[in-house]
Amino acid sequence: MANYYTNEQAKRELRQISARYAGSSETATRHKCFISYHGANATEVLSFVKRFEHIFIPRVIGVTDDDPRINSDDVDYVMDTIREKYLSDSTVTILMVGSCTWSRKFIDWEIYSSLRRDKVNRLNGLMGIELPSMAQTGATLQSRFSDNLPKGKGEDGYARYWSYPRTDQALRDCIQDAFNARRQRDHLIRNARQRRQRDSTCP
């Protein structure tokens, strides 16, 4: 169904879906998830949300350039807005990985905030999902997200990167793993990298 949407229509519907879940509570099987994505992938992200929203609560959807709540060049203000308006209402951040996801400053800021535990937002679990459009070629990973992945055999990391889920249970397990990581793997968080100040050019 999402294939019939333009990216702008998909972004509007994602915001509407998020608003529909306002006031929803977490349950033992459905966690509130913040979905971080590049606006160019909005139709794929909408397809994911519509397919799996019975598995998680898509209460908050990632920041995009046309977001009505983000209208400032003040980095600290934008960071506070991300934390207060978005991440404070979620426990797991799902990064939807497309071809240019790595290039967006907002995505870096969302991951940066997800990895913090402070008076405004609780620490989020962090996981990435490869979008179907990347299945054949693979994607360049966002740097801060990559910092938090296991680096090799015998090593561990705070985050996990998954292929696109084929079943409800596969996604449910991934989200639960990210949720549990907040207490089981929080000592592995790597968040010292300087925040991205601008978008990079992506071909």
Side-chain angles (χ1 to χ4, degrees), residues 161-177:
Y161 183 45
W162 307 101
S163 57
Y164 198 84
R166 296 185 177 181
T167 66
D168 291 357
Q169 190 59 47
L171 180 60
R172 187 178 288 113
D173 290 345
C174 293
I175 292 174
Q176 188 63 43
D177 173 81

Side-chain angles (χ1 to χ4, degrees), residues 2 30 40 43 46 57 71 85 119-120 124 140 145 173:
R30 293 181 75 206
T43 57
L46 178 59
I57 300 173
N71 186 26
K85 302 296 184 182
K119 65 180 181 180
V120 176
N124 272 27
T140 299
F145 177 69
D173 290 345

Side-chain angles (χ1 to χ4, degrees), residues 1 12 25 33 35 42 63 65 68 81 96 100 104-105 111 124 130 132 140 146 148 160 189 191 200:
M1 181 179 294
R12 285 196 295 272
S25 299
C33 295
I35 303 197
V63 177
D65 286 324
T81 301
M96 306 301 294
C100 292
R104 304 298 282 168
K105 65 182 180 183
I111 296 173
N124 272 27
E130 182 181 73
T140 299
S146 182
N148 285 277
R160 297 287 186 266
I189 290 172
N191 204 26
S200 295

Side-chain angles (χ1 to χ4, degrees), residues 34-170:
F34 175 88
I35 303 197
S36 180
Y37 72 99
H38 189 310
N41 303 124
T43 57
E44 281 188 284
V45 174
L46 178 59
S47 179
F48 170 81
V49 170
K50 283 179 170 289
R51 165 69 177 83
F52 290 112
E53 65 180 297
H54 61 288
I55 301 298
F56 63 94
I57 300 173
R59 174 63 186 91
V60 280
I61 309 295
V63 177
T64 60
D65 286 324
D66 60 350
D67 195 306
R69 299 186 187 187
I70 305 295
N71 186 26
S72 174
D73 293 325
D74 184 329
V75 174
D76 290 329
Y77 166 78
V78 175
M79 291 294 296
D80 287 344
T81 301
I82 290 172
R83 288 196 298 269
E84 294 173 13
K85 302 296 184 182
Y86 295 90
L87 287 164
S88 62
D89 196 34
S90 62
T91 54
V92 172
T93 294
I94 302 176
L95 176 65
M96 306 301 294
V97 181
S99 61
C100 292
T101 305
W102 64 271
S103 69
R104 304 298 282 168
K105 65 182 180 183
F106 284 150
I107 289 173
D108 183 57
W109 298 355
E110 290 162 5
I111 296 173
Y112 174 86
S113 290
S114 296
L115 295 174
R116 296 179 65 191
R117 181 186 279 123
D118 56 33
K119 65 180 181 180
V120 176
N121 63 277
R122 47 193 171 176
L123 175 66
N124 272 27
L126 178 62
M127 57 178 280
I129 292 178
E130 182 181 73
L131 287 169
S133 58
M134 294 290 96
Q136 299 301 317
T137 61
T140 299
L141 293 182
Q142 199 277 339
S143 298
R144 195 180 306 276
F145 177 69
S146 182
D147 290 344
N148 285 277
L149 294 175
K151 298 303 182 210
K153 186 176 181 180
E155 296 185 21
D156 203 353
Y158 181 68
R160 297 287 186 266
Y161 183 45
W162 307 101
S163 57
Y164 198 84
R166 296 185 177 181
T167 66
D168 291 357
Q169 190 59 47

